[in-house]
Amino acid sequence: MAVQVVDRSLMTSDLTPHQAKSVGVGGWVVSFLPGRTLTTEQATAALQAAEAVAAVNALAIQVGLTAMETVGLATQESPWGEPECGGLRRLWRRGRLER
């Protein structure tokens, strides 16, 4: 996954058709967030999120689900409880991966 900046005015990605365009003075608009002006860091994060959704979609198709279904189901608590060793589960807190 890589977001590319073209001529300091356009951000693109090879994994998603979404883009961000510079609106001057450090502001960016992202194709799937109309009406919002973001910082460079926020626009980059938005495109990285779009890339992650594309990756989830590719995996979801393999199990016969949509990306939205996969995210919705995967964010629910497991009915089996946590594994004894904790694994990566203990790293996931408050909606983000913490290390």
Side-chain angles (χ1 to χ4, degrees):
M1 293 188 231
V3 173
Q4 297 89 28
V5 180
V6 180
D7 294 330
R8 292 186 274 173
S9 63
L10 178 68
M11 289 186 203
T12 63
S13 167
D14 53 348
L15 299 179
T16 178
H18 290 291
Q19 303 175 9
K21 293 183 180 182
S22 173
V23 292
V25 194
W28 292 82
V29 292
V30 177
S31 58
F32 66 93
L33 298 171
R36 295 184 184 198
T37 301
L38 306 175
T39 66
T40 302
E41 294 79 17
Q42 290 172 322
T44 302
L47 288 182
Q48 289 171 333
E51 289 179 331
V53 170
V56 167
N57 189 55
L59 295 169
I61 288 170
Q62 293 183 40
V63 293
L65 297 171
T66 67
M68 293 294 285
E69 290 169 327
T70 302
V71 170
L73 293 168
T75 57
Q76 295 178 15
E77 287 292 323
S78 171
W80 299 342
E82 290 190 37
E84 287 184 31
C85 66
L88 287 177
R89 176 75 176 115
R90 64 189 149 98
L91 298 176
W92 185 261
R93 300 287 185 251
R94 294 180 302 281
R96 64 181 188 274
L97 188 61
E98 294 181 347
R99 294 180 188 257

